[in-house]
Amino acid sequence: MLHGYVPTSFGIGVTISLLKAKTGNVNDVDNYLVITLSPVISKLFEMVLLAISDDALKTDSLQFGFKEKIGSVDAIFTLKSTVEYFINRGSSDCVASLDIPMAFNRVDHYKLYKSLLEAGVHVIIVDILCNWYSKLRYAVRWNGELSAQFTVCSSVRQGSCLSPAIFNVFMNIFIEQLKYLEVGCCVSSLFLGCILYADDILLLSPSITGLQNMLDKCSELAKLLSLEFNVEKSHCIAFGNMSNVTITPMSLGGNSIEWCGAVKYIGVYLQSGRSLKFDIAPTKRAFYATCNSIFMHGSAISEIALLSLQETYSLCTYVCHSCIESCYKAN
């Protein structure tokens, strides 16, 4: 640590591809999830760095991804509470859901180091990361064969214990800069105009003009961080009085993003209207499909094993998503 040095082997990784949807096109690159396997001893060293830098790696309370005891349910609760606050007072809420494709793989190393120093991470820790990231070399494993190693010039390390925390710091600038615009949703003096879940960004504004100002700022910040928005997967949705009004498309980096009647956000479908509603029908369909698949392929295994598979792959996701709406209705 004192010398800002890690062994060369710490930077070596093996990348494997996992099929996202077995019923999808196996020849489609976008249907694969790529993960990288790293040396276990390097993860132990990262946990030490994480413990040392814990205080400096804290981010805004509106960032809900990769945090202990905080998750997607808290992000959706914040969204619904904010929308209902404005609707109950006769106002509207305009929301933009922004998508950054492969955000983890697009992280510029120099800009990452700069954001960590500005957040107060000790220079020794940043120096270690500089040395570590300069040694990143991955090989791809496919059908039992290993490719030649190649140098990784951007991205945070996959499978890393430290990467989620430093990625949050990297993305925290969106919340910080949007606060200064003073056009997003606020409850008293509390800013609630930007909700982050890792790289999933939600912008909330009581006016269309305010939302456009926020979109312009996000476009400016994305260019600063060498990130790029996917306008085809970015959408706007209105709640309250504005939900029945035809609104011209918004602009994001010179491209148009459309207003939609429903938007998917971290696994939950939001429906436009006088109030915020959730559509859990897609979750139900996925639940039934997963159950049937497990029963079909697991006919030869014990009931205990089947139950374990259902709890792991079917029940957990279904209960998490479907309970959100019922809990909010009860409240």
Side-chain angles (χ1 to χ4, degrees):
M1 286 182 63
L2 292 177
H3 291 83
Y5 175 87
V6 297
T8 302
S9 59
F10 274 28
I12 305 300
V14 177
T15 300
I16 60 175
S17 299
L18 304 177
L19 195 62
K20 290 182 181 178
K22 293 185 178 180
T23 57
N25 183 4
V26 295
N27 295 318
D28 183 5
V29 175
D30 294 331
N31 193 28
Y32 286 88
L33 174 67
V34 178
I35 63 172
T36 300
L37 308 178
S38 304
V40 175
I41 189 65
S42 70
K43 295 184 179 183
L44 179 60
F45 182 58
E46 282 182 316
M47 292 176 68
V48 175
L49 298 181
L50 187 61
I52 294 173
S53 309
D54 186 56
D55 290 338
L57 292 174
K58 294 188 184 303
T59 53
D60 197 280
S61 59
L62 290 173
Q63 169 60 276
F64 295 92
F66 307 128
K67 289 186 175 180
E68 188 177 0
K69 299 180 181 180
I70 296 176
S72 58
V73 174
D74 302 282
I76 296 169
F77 177 80
T78 303
L79 166 66
K80 184 172 177 65
S81 300
T82 304
V83 170
E84 288 185 344
Y85 178 88
F86 281 85
I87 291 176
N88 293 338
R89 285 158 179 76
S91 183
S92 299
D93 215 331
C94 303
V95 178
S97 173
L98 307 183
D99 176 73
I100 304 175
M102 302 181 68
F104 296 91
N105 296 332
R106 293 176 178 270
V107 173
D108 181 280
H109 290 168
Y110 171 76
K111 292 173 182 178
L112 173 65
Y113 307 146
K114 183 179 179 182
S115 65
L116 292 174
L117 289 172
E118 290 175 349
V121 177
H122 199 285
V123 65
I124 290 178
I125 305 297
V126 177
D127 200 26
I128 291 172
L129 291 176
C130 288
N131 180 265
W132 198 333
Y133 275 57
S134 70
K135 298 177 179 178
L136 293 186
R137 293 184 62 82
Y138 295 165
V140 178
R141 184 165 59 196
W142 183 261
N143 286 337
E145 299 294 332
L146 206 61
S147 74
Q149 291 184 354
F150 56 91
T151 303
V152 179
C153 300
S154 64
S155 84
V156 290
R157 294 179 63 248
Q158 289 200 3
S160 159
C161 304
L162 190 61
S163 290
I166 62 177
F167 181 79
N168 277 355
V169 173
F170 182 74
M171 293 292 293
N172 201 59
I173 188 174
F174 282 95
I175 301 175
E176 293 177 346
Q177 293 296 315
L178 288 169
K179 282 182 179 180
Y180 295 132
L181 293 181
E182 298 182 349
V183 294
C185 288
C186 288
V187 176
S188 297
S189 58
L190 180 63
F191 175 76
L192 294 167
C194 178
I195 298 175
L196 260 66
Y197 189 85
D199 58 336
D200 291 317
I201 303 175
L202 274 188
L203 306 180
L204 296 84
S205 175
S207 70
I208 297 174
T209 303
L211 184 63
Q212 184 58 66
N213 290 339
M214 297 177 80
L215 289 170
D216 293 339
K217 175 57 71 173
C218 285
S219 179
E220 176 187 326
L221 293 173
K223 187 177 296 185
L224 177 67
L225 298 177
S226 300
L227 299 175
E228 186 176 337
F229 288 110
N230 184 349
V231 292
E232 294 183 358
K233 291 186 178 181
S234 298
H235 306 285
C236 294
I237 186 170
F239 303 100
N241 298 330
M242 295 294 295
S243 60
N244 295 325
V245 178
T246 301
I247 311 173
T248 56
M250 308 298 285
S251 175
L252 179 63
N255 299 299
S256 297
I257 56 175
E258 302 292 333
W259 292 86
C260 300
V263 170
K264 183 180 180 182
Y265 177 65
I266 51 178
V268 177
Y269 289 83
L270 314 175
Q271 291 183 313
S272 177
R274 292 283 180 176
S275 61
L276 173 57
K277 297 180 180 179
F278 299 97
D279 179 13
I280 63 171
T283 305
K284 287 183 178 179
R285 289 194 293 270
F287 168 71
Y288 292 137
T290 305
C291 282
N292 292 335
S293 178
I294 291 174
F295 283 128
M296 182 176 68
H297 295 286
S299 57
I301 64 177
S302 67
E303 291 186 358
I304 297 298
L306 276 175
L307 178 60
S308 178
L309 289 171
Q310 294 289 5
E311 288 178 338
T312 302
Y313 294 102
S314 305
L315 189 61
C316 181
T317 300
Y318 175 73
V319 170
C320 176
H321 291 166
S322 60
C323 281
I324 289 171
E325 184 173 20
S326 59
C327 288
Y328 289 145
K329 284 182 177 178
N331 289 337

